[in-house]
Amino acid sequence: MEGNILVTGATGAIGRNLVPLLREKYGMDKVIVGYHSRIPQGSLADGPKVQVNVANKDELYKIVIEQKVSSIYHLAALLSVAAEQDPEAAERVNTQGLRNVLDVIAEQVANGNSMTGFWASSIAVYGEGLPAENVAEDVVLKPFTVYGKGKVIGEQAIAEFYKTKGVDVRVIRFPGLNGPGKPGPGTTEYAIEMIQAAAKGNHYTVPLKQDTIMPMMDIRDAVRAIMQLMASPTGTIEVGKPYNIAAFSFFPEALANVVKKFNPSFTVDYKPDELKQRIADSWPNTIDDSRARNQWGWKSTISLKEMVRNIYEAAKGEQ
Ligand code: AKB
């Protein structure tokens, strides 16, 4: 790779797990940790890093030029609950932030410089009124959330930039991603909270009904998918179109039963939060990822039990 890679939102859940893989593949000095308010810690702090406000296009452009960036993995975003609570921040960071990334890449491409990108979409694009099972990419999208609407606008902008300006930004629609570390203010994040509570010997009150099913995945599978999609030759995939990826789906009571295998005295109760429950109910139970499987060989490898073990052991180690 000629230029450097900028990862925006690199201190978030996906970034923390993706940066080490990128550095392993391309070298420490080639991967720049882009952060905003959360300062990089541990190994993330070791290599190049830059504070970046993605809502400020001039600042982003300056970094791209000065740091010789030729690929942006754009992960800076507010999650579903945070976006609902602060729609203006969601508009700035999620919608305008992506728009700025696309504009900067388009400008570079127009100047004859090769530049690509990755963007994280979500099952939040789906909305109420859809069939719940095995939902493919190509259905009518009617999310009610600020977050979901932003993801739909983002996917459409990426498709448009590809069609009209030849901008190659690849997109995955992620299910709930689960890994060690403090979970963000989302809807699927109850799962991480539950496992961490069990590891610390605490009771957990689930903010959803016990049978609320959502598609989920181990974060390590998710970042492997990003590496795989980004390494796929252009002619073999549909650039500008989002790909679903799936691993397994579960509901809180089923997760609690797996968690109890690690801590038999763990207890939960259920006190649904109105917003989280409505969001979760509007998302599919299961999604169809056959396009990703057929076109670039996607396959999940980490089971629910292994996902729980990873988060549980990390949380135990922190005590
Ligand atoms: C959230 O719940 O907000 C995220 C997501 C599925 O996009 N985890």
Side-chain angles (χ1 to χ4, degrees):
M1 162 163 287
E2 289 257 313
N4 295 318
I5 295 171
L6 172 65
V7 182
T8 73
T11 50
I14 302 179
R16 289 196 302 267
N17 289 275
L18 179 66
V19 167
L21 294 192
L22 290 170
R23 286 187 163 160
E24 196 179 290
K25 180 164 179 180
Y26 297 106
M28 181 71 126
D29 293 344
K30 288 250 161 206
V31 182
I32 306 160
V33 164
Y35 64 96
H36 188 233
S37 38
R38 214 170 341 170
I39 310 295
Q41 309 279 342
S43 67
L44 275 192
D46 290 344
K49 49 192 172 298
V50 66
Q51 191 165 30
V52 53
N53 173 10
V54 293
N56 183 335
K57 188 172 137 188
D58 294 339
E59 189 180 308
L60 184 66
Y61 193 76
K62 196 163 165 259
I63 289 169
V64 164
I65 300 300
E66 283 179 2
Q67 312 264 355
K68 300 187 172 40
V69 172
S70 65
S71 192
I72 303 181
Y73 288 66
H74 180 44
L75 306 174
L78 271 70
L79 292 181
S80 55
V81 174
E84 219 56 33
Q85 286 163 349
D86 191 346
E88 282 170 18
E91 165 66 28
R92 259 193 330 272
V93 180
N94 294 15
T95 306
Q96 192 57 48
L98 172 64
R99 181 67 204 211
N100 290 342
V101 168
L102 291 174
D103 280 341
V104 167
I105 298 181
E107 271 175 61
Q108 287 293 83
V109 171
N111 291 337
N113 300 317
S114 143
M115 192 161 180
T116 57
F118 174 82
W119 184 64
S121 187
S122 156
I123 51 164
V125 293
Y126 298 111
E128 287 158 331
L130 285 174
E133 305 302 338
N134 216 24
V135 186
E137 291 90 345
D138 212 2
V139 296
V140 178
L141 303 172
K142 284 190 283 183
F144 79 86
T145 57
V146 171
Y147 179 66
K149 287 177 186 159
K151 293 292 187 195
V152 174
I153 292 169
E155 288 186 359
Q156 287 169 349
I158 287 171
E160 195 55 30
F161 269 69
Y162 175 61
K163 219 162 65 189
T164 58
K165 301 172 200 271
V167 166
D168 177 347
V169 172
R170 301 181 180 186
V171 185
I172 292 178
R173 271 184 201 164
F174 288 111
L177 302 180
N178 300 283
K182 190 174 157 29
T187 306
T188 63
E189 278 66 18
Y190 85 85
I192 305 173
E193 289 171 2
M194 182 196 288
I195 302 163
Q196 292 177 340
K200 292 183 175 128
N202 297 335
H203 173 81
Y204 183 64
T205 298
V206 183
L208 295 169
K209 292 187 206 149
Q210 63 207 62
D211 59 354
T212 307
I213 185 162
M214 286 185 281
M216 299 276 196
M217 179 179 289
D218 188 296
I219 192 102
R220 294 167 293 174
D221 257 349
V223 291
R224 198 177 45 77
I226 298 176
M227 298 297 288
Q228 209 178 336
L229 176 60
M230 292 304 278
S232 301
T234 313
T236 62
I237 58 160
E238 293 172 278
V239 178
K241 278 196 180 178
Y243 286 96
N244 282 351
I245 59 168
F248 38 72
S249 293
F250 57 76
F251 46 92
E253 193 180 27
L255 177 65
N257 288 336
V258 178
V259 173
K260 279 181 198 164
K261 293 193 166 61
F262 294 86
N263 175 356
S265 57
F266 177 55
T267 55
V268 285
D269 66 348
Y270 301 89
K271 202 164 154 213
D273 168 275
E274 204 181 313
L275 174 64
K276 288 183 183 173
Q277 188 66 51
R278 189 171 169 218
I279 295 176
D281 287 343
S282 76
W283 291 351
N285 297 350
T286 57
I287 49 177
D288 174 3
D289 63 356
S290 48
R291 273 178 64 249
R293 286 172 180 271
N294 295 337
Q295 293 183 21
W296 44 277
W298 155 252
K299 195 173 183 314
S300 78
T301 58
I302 303 174
S303 68
L304 168 58
K305 193 167 173 200
E306 279 315 307
M307 178 197 97
V308 173
R309 184 194 308 282
N310 189 39
I311 300 170
Y312 188 89
E313 286 176 356
K316 269 233 160 273
E318 280 164 16
Q319 289 188 89

